[in-house]
Amino acid sequence: MATLLVGDVHGCFNELQALLAQADFNPTVDTLWLTGDLVARGPDSLQVLRYVRSLGDSARLVLGNHDLHLLAIYAGISRNKPKDNLTPLLEAPDCDELINWLRRQPVLQVDEEKALVMGHAGISPQWTIETAKRCAREVESILSSDSYPLFLDSMYGDLPNCWNDELSGLPRLRYATNALTRMRFCYPNGCLDMICKDVPKKAPAPLKPWFDLPGSVTEHYSIAFGHWASLEGQGTPEGIYALDTGCCWGGKLTMLRWEDKRYFQQDSLAQIAELDN
């Protein structure tokens, strides 16, 4: 009964299958956690969604910024760019079913027994676990409602970047979405910086990675996240697991088996093919 946590798949279906084979994944007894960004950039987003959906309760995932972008494309809010490789998915006969399934997935996973939290980008240092769960439920509620296009149309933007319990409406939802799916750096007071995308050692002062700031969630829970491929899975404090290692960019797909903290990795097959040539 293994718990397997996999970083951002980004449409790399063959790599995902090869990685799961390394750990003898058995969906009848094991659970697969996915850090989000199931789709875009890689070659086979359609097969990834079909597979993860077929796992039912054996899969626990969170939505990432690229998953939300797919929903925005489907709703006619954003443009389908060739580099995202989403056209086969959008033209598939089961596209409607997959999209309606995807927008009903969570943006936060919390396992109290394991004291484990998973968010695509992490957890805002300004949040308690209760606030994180409440904000996640609010985002999930509107995504699963008929009003989801209104939310998707308003989610783009970098403000507000500081949490306040008095935030309401679309600004509150935008902050929560940014914290859960786009965050990398924060100011020392915990406010989000939504501009810098560099590696920590190149970030301008006074910015710090969100996981280097004190927060009540990190005091009581381990946190698994994706989103930040340039970290290459390195440089996080104990109990913070960065699992996006850039498979769709020619890097690796990374998986952590929770019970013994063993890592598995699968090289990008596109990168392997390029080297073979």
Side-chain angles (χ1 to χ4, degrees):
M1 298 179 65
T3 306
L4 304 172
L5 291 82
V6 177
D8 301 18
V9 178
H10 274 297
C12 297
F13 176 72
N14 291 333
E15 288 88 344
L16 176 61
Q17 294 300 304
L19 187 64
L20 294 176
Q22 290 185 40
D24 297 319
F25 172 61
N26 180 351
T28 63
V29 293
D30 300 332
T31 305
L32 178 64
W33 289 49
L34 298 131
T35 63
D37 279 359
L38 299 180
V39 303
R41 305 301 171 92
D44 212 341
S45 296
L46 175 60
Q47 284 300 104
V48 170
L49 286 193
R50 284 173 172 169
Y51 175 69
V52 176
R53 185 186 180 211
S54 76
L55 294 176
D57 292 339
S58 297
R60 294 181 67 169
L61 65 138
V62 293
L63 298 177
N65 54 303
H66 282 273
D67 305 315
L68 294 177
H69 183 60
L70 167 63
L71 297 179
I73 294 171
Y74 178 84
I77 293 161
S78 294
R79 186 165 58 89
N80 179 22
K81 300 176 183 178
K83 67 180 181 180
D84 286 327
N85 289 324
L86 290 172
T87 299
L89 167 56
L90 292 165
E91 295 180 349
D94 54 347
C95 176
D96 292 350
E97 295 175 20
L98 292 169
I99 291 293
N100 285 326
W101 166 80
L102 189 67
R103 68 183 180 91
R104 288 172 170 82
Q105 300 310 303
V107 292
L108 181 70
Q109 292 280 0
V110 180
D111 190 313
E112 295 291 351
E113 183 179 344
K114 295 180 174 62
L116 174 62
V117 171
M118 181 172 68
H120 175 63
I123 296 293
S124 167
Q126 295 186 323
W127 277 349
T128 64
I129 192 63
E130 291 78 14
T131 301
K133 290 192 286 188
R134 185 168 62 251
C135 288
R137 285 194 299 267
E138 291 167 3
V139 173
E140 292 158 7
S141 177
I142 195 165
L143 269 178
S144 64
S145 76
D146 292 340
S147 300
Y148 81 97
L150 173 65
F151 160 69
L152 292 171
D153 191 37
S154 65
M155 73 175 177
Y156 295 102
D158 297 340
L159 297 174
N161 69 329
C162 284
W163 175 250
N164 185 323
D165 281 326
E166 301 303 314
L167 283 175
S168 62
L170 293 173
R172 180 182 177 96
L173 292 168
R174 188 183 305 117
Y175 176 90
T177 303
N178 284 339
L180 289 165
T181 70
R182 293 181 57 214
M183 172 182 67
R184 290 185 179 89
F185 291 98
C186 293
Y187 292 95
N189 63 357
C191 291
L192 309 181
D193 169 77
M194 303 306 300
I195 297 174
C196 184
K197 298 182 180 181
D198 223 324
V199 294
K201 65 182 180 182
K202 294 184 179 180
L207 299 182
K208 292 182 177 293
W210 64 267
F211 48 76
D212 280 344
L213 292 176
S216 67
V217 179
T218 53
E219 288 179 5
H220 299 98
Y221 294 84
S222 296
I223 300 178
F225 71 103
H227 184 57
W228 202 341
S230 61
L231 291 178
E232 299 180 339
Q234 306 296 317
T236 57
E238 184 179 357
I240 309 293
Y241 301 92
L243 296 176
D244 182 11
T245 46
C247 185
C248 70
W249 313 111
K252 301 175 186 293
L253 192 61
T254 294
M255 177 170 65
L256 171 67
R257 186 165 62 197
W258 183 252
E259 285 71 23
D260 60 0
K261 304 301 185 290
R262 177 183 171 185
Y263 283 93
F264 301 81
Q265 288 193 315
Q266 169 62 46
D267 289 329
S268 164
L269 296 176
Q271 183 75 2
I272 293 172
E274 186 176 315
L275 292 173
D276 286 345
N277 290 330

